[in-house]
Amino acid sequence: MSPTISSSLCTVAALSGRPGRRAGQPGGSKRAVAQPLAAAAVTEAPPAVIAPPPRPVVGAPRRRGGRGVDGGADELVAWKSIRQERWEGALEVEGKLPAWLDGTYLRNGPGLWDLGDYGFRHLFDGYATLVRVSFRDGHAVGAHRQIESEAYKAARRHGKVCYREFSEVPKPDSFKSFVGQLASLLSGNSLTDNSNTGVVRLGDGRVLCLTETVKGSIVVDPDTLDTVSKFEYEDKLGGLIHSAHPIVTDTEFWTLIPDLIRPGYVVARMDAGSNERQFVGRVDCRGGPAPGWVHSFPVTENYVVVPEMPLRYCAANLLRAEPTPLYKFQWHLESGSYMHVMCKASGKIVASVEVPPFVTFHFINAYEEKDEEGRVTAIIADCCEHNADTSILDNLRLHNLRAFTGEDVLTDARVGRFRIPLDGSPFGELEAALDPEEHGRGMDMCSINPAHLGKEYRYAYACGARRPCNFPNTLTKIDLVEKTAKNWYEEGAVPSEPYFVARPGALEEDDGVAISMVSAKDGSGYALVLDAKTFKEIARAKFPYGLPYGLHCCWVPRDK
Ligand SMILES: CC(=O)/C=C/C=C(C)/C=C/C1=C(C)CCCC1(C)C
Ligand SMILES: CC(/C=C/C=O)=C\C=C\C=O
Ligand SMILES: [Fe+2]
């Protein structure tokens, strides 16, 4: 990828209301942005001056992941592809945005699931759509843009899937190309770089979009949403895949690299400002033929927690042309489930315990439990736990998401709290941290106050459920001390991860706002700003079009 992919976006810079630039303060009249890209095979050909994308309409049936019948949840904008490559403009604000909310909220996610008449089948396959809302002086400017990964550009060019995505693989035209594909799988060349999972702001200010493939680490400009360059690791650690969620602070970056050849995980850290990961230590798997899937992992102040769940990577499934019920994974209940704890300073394993089976994508946080003398006795690690049921993966097939019939089909989830003793005991505990009924037995897509990362904490913000539903449809604030939840709900709306932003100077853990992008029932979309303390709506900034569902977020304060 060339260092600057889109060079012709000066129009955007001149017109935008992004932080740190005097020109284009948010709050003016709606701005249209010139479209610099050639007509796309994937999205509709945009006009020279961009009007917001129209509200979606039901189109021709899809060959795969089809939209099914008209009406009902089938129409939900959350599961429809974004219809334009990019847009930017001032947003209409309802309510009053806090004056201190000064910076840019970014959200990444798989917003484009259609290639001509071909539709992806799984939520995680979609090409990455980055959404931005910049807040200043009570005004908001919104934007979205497709990330120009090699996978996305090749799909546009050829009108078909060209790289191995989460569930789909390119269809070989001949046996010869099938053999070629196997070779390129082993080298990693055919793996996707579609960085559709998360977006993080590194300590040095660079903004990185990520997925589970290492090559899908892409630097973006948080102002223009330009795809700037690939993020290349300048070290010898290798690895084709990693945990999609690193742990990022102002000074460092921690990552987990699963080793599929010699089943285990490498823990690595990188200083802010560097591209060089340093080896910290290695954990050997205790069960199964391959490492457990590690989408995320938690850290405490002094330790890295390495989860080993029975949902394990599966080499045979990686090679298959058609998705299996568990995609690239396999469920090995017999292999056992483990939690390992590594000392950050020495790389030594200080605990490795067997725990009850679990399924999680997302760890919420972890901290050290201490006795009266201040000695660390155990590690507490919390996650969004799907009751050891892998069917959540299947729930996330687009057909299921689009086909809500009113039946309650969302599988149960809870805040799973691990207690990992450090006294050499062989077993750890896993229990619900609060009654899951408090959040409707739905639980995923969490954030916390980043000042409490790795430390004792009280509040988590996540998506919960108001049943019946087929997908988390509420925002929930969990109080882990009182063991209660406050819930936000709007009929038919699909809200994404509520991302906590602290008020500058705040002393209390929940002094700030939770921002979520909502795909509404009427086809519209808006950024919802909730008071994190009361969990009541303060304001919403409305996009003039509907937004597809998205995954993870970050916050770029103006002065950084
Ligand atoms: C969107 C999200 O949360 C997860 C995306 C996961 C992806 C793109 C996983 C990709 C993979 C391959 C393309 C082959 C190797 C295995 C695996 C990491 C699952
Ligand atoms: C959207 C999701 C789970 C929702 C179920 O309750 C998981 C997303 C995982 C990837 O980031
Ligand atoms: Fe995630």
Side-chain angles (χ1 to χ4, degrees):
M1 193 179 287
S2 59
T4 305
I5 285 172
S6 301
S7 51
S8 51
L9 294 180
C10 43
T11 19
V12 181
L15 292 170
S16 81
R18 69 192 58 111
R21 312 249 165 124
R22 297 301 303 168
Q25 293 231 343
S29 58
K30 278 187 187 142
R31 300 171 184 91
V33 177
Q35 168 59 261
L37 296 160
V42 186
T43 49
E44 290 183 351
V49 172
I50 292 210
R55 297 268 172 95
V57 288
V58 175
R62 295 296 197 259
R63 271 193 281 132
R64 291 200 188 280
R67 288 177 177 149
V69 292
D70 294 358
D74 187 43
E75 296 298 303
L76 276 184
V77 69
W79 316 120
K80 284 188 195 300
S81 289
I82 193 87
R83 289 162 63 85
Q84 257 172 227
E85 283 223 313
R86 57 185 305 190
W87 181 82
E88 178 174 43
L91 304 181
E92 183 195 331
V93 175
E94 202 179 285
K96 198 166 175 328
L97 288 166
W100 59 261
L101 194 62
D102 196 14
T104 289
Y105 157 94
L106 294 170
R107 188 197 72 177
N108 193 5
L112 182 79
W113 298 281
D114 297 280
L115 290 169
D117 71 344
Y118 186 85
F120 277 138
R121 284 170 281 187
H122 199 277
L123 175 67
F124 293 169
D125 283 328
Y127 293 108
T129 304
L130 196 56
V131 177
R132 164 170 86 84
V133 183
S134 298
F135 297 94
R136 184 175 210 181
D137 296 333
H139 298 289
V141 167
H144 85 258
R145 189 153 175 197
Q146 289 307 111
I147 296 178
E148 297 193 17
S149 60
E150 295 302 329
Y152 170 66
K153 288 190 294 181
R156 269 184 34 153
R157 215 175 310 117
H158 302 291
K160 62 178 187 184
V161 184
C162 300
Y163 288 83
R164 288 177 176 264
E165 300 296 337
F166 173 78
S167 85
E168 306 270 341
V169 303
K171 304 284 169 277
D173 314 321
S174 61
F175 182 69
K176 199 165 148 233
S177 75
F178 172 71
V179 174
Q181 274 190 14
L182 285 187
S184 62
L185 173 62
L186 297 175
S187 68
N189 285 345
S190 64
L191 292 185
T192 188
D193 66 339
N194 172 22
S195 54
N196 65 2
T197 307
V199 52
V200 294
R201 183 189 165 277
L202 303 182
D204 61 13
R206 287 178 291 179
V207 175
L208 205 56
C209 290
L210 293 151
T211 185
E212 302 212 352
T213 59
V214 171
K215 69 196 277 202
S217 308
I218 294 181
V219 181
V220 295
D221 180 323
D223 300 336
T224 60
L225 304 187
D226 272 355
T227 300
V228 176
S229 65
K230 270 201 185 298
F231 185 93
E232 309 270 12
Y233 288 105
E234 293 161 0
D235 55 54
K236 302 255 161 16
L237 286 184
L240 298 175
I241 59 178
H242 59 184
S243 134
H245 294 273
I247 299 282
V248 184
T249 70
D250 280 350
T251 53
E252 51 182 17
F253 175 104
W254 289 85
T255 181
L256 265 193
I257 308 167
D259 182 346
L260 271 55
I261 310 290
R262 193 156 66 90
Y265 311 83
V266 165
V267 175
R269 75 172 285 287
M270 192 168 76
D271 283 319
S274 163
N275 281 39
E276 188 181 342
R277 294 165 301 181
Q278 283 151 357
F279 174 89
V280 175
R282 191 193 141 87
V283 179
D284 289 323
C285 285
R286 286 184 51 189
W293 183 13
V294 272
H295 183 75
S296 72
F297 64 99
V299 299
T300 69
E301 288 174 285
N302 298 295
Y303 302 98
V304 177
V305 180
V306 179
E308 183 180 340
M309 67 172 172
L311 184 60
R312 295 174 184 272
Y313 296 95
C314 171
N317 288 351
L318 281 174
L319 300 171
R320 275 181 228 283
E322 281 299 311
T324 76
L326 291 177
Y327 302 92
K328 313 280 200 277
F329 310 100
Q330 231 172 19
W331 181 242
H332 287 279
L333 191 57
E334 78 297 342
S335 70
S337 312
Y338 308 91
M339 295 292 275
H340 313 273
V341 179
M342 181 183 288
C343 171
K344 281 181 176 173
S346 67
K348 296 233 156 62
I349 311 292
V350 299
S352 175
V353 297
E354 184 159 7
V355 292
F358 64 99
V359 167
T360 187
F361 299 106
H362 297 120
F363 278 87
I364 303 172
N365 198 16
Y367 60 89
E368 296 159 17
E369 192 182 80
K370 297 188 177 144
D371 64 14
E372 281 114 42
E373 271 88 55
R375 281 184 299 251
V376 182
T377 51
I379 303 294
I380 304 297
D382 294 338
C383 68
C384 306
E385 206 277 305
H386 292 270
N387 287 358
D389 183 350
T390 57
S391 45
I392 183 65
L393 266 180
D394 209 48
N395 286 356
L396 300 179
R397 272 171 45 212
L398 291 160
H399 173 78
N400 292 339
L401 297 171
R402 289 169 179 158
F404 182 53
T405 58
E407 208 187 320
D408 189 29
V409 290
L410 179 69
T411 47
D412 290 359
R414 57 183 181 162
V415 177
R417 170 160 285 191
F418 291 96
R419 185 171 183 281
I420 310 165
L422 296 190
D423 62 0
S425 318
F427 297 105
E429 293 156 24
L430 169 61
E431 271 163 21
L434 76 165
D435 181 352
E437 292 294 345
E438 283 285 328
H439 47 79
R441 290 173 283 114
M443 172 53 48
D444 218 305
M445 309 307 291
C446 47
S447 75
I448 60 161
N449 181 334
H452 287 256
L453 177 76
K455 301 182 186 147
E456 270 195 66
Y457 73 119
R458 176 168 179 178
Y459 302 112
Y461 308 88
C463 295
R466 165 97 56 111
R467 290 172 184 274
C469 60
N470 67 343
F471 191 77
N473 58 355
T474 67
L475 298 169
T476 186
K477 175 189 179 186
I478 308 279
D479 181 333
L480 291 158
V481 171
E482 292 289 327
K483 301 193 181 298
T484 53
K486 288 189 166 83
N487 299 298
W488 175 93
Y489 171 79
E490 189 173 272
E491 209 239 309
V494 185
S496 63
E497 174 180 277
Y499 192 78
F500 177 83
V501 179
R503 188 179 61 79
L507 297 174
E508 288 168 303
E509 187 182 328
D510 59 349
D511 186 354
V513 293
I515 305 177
S516 167
M517 298 289 315
V518 180
S519 311
K521 188 183 181 181
D522 67 358
S524 67
Y526 56 90
L528 176 71
V529 181
L530 300 177
D531 179 332
K533 214 176 257 298
T534 60
F535 223 52
K536 293 267 180 330
E537 175 171 345
I538 306 176
R540 55 179 74 184
K542 299 170 165 176
F543 276 71
Y545 53 96
L547 290 160
Y549 182 72
L551 297 170
H552 301 289
C553 323
C554 75
W555 175 251
V556 182
R558 179 176 303 276
D559 56 359
K560 287 243 181 168

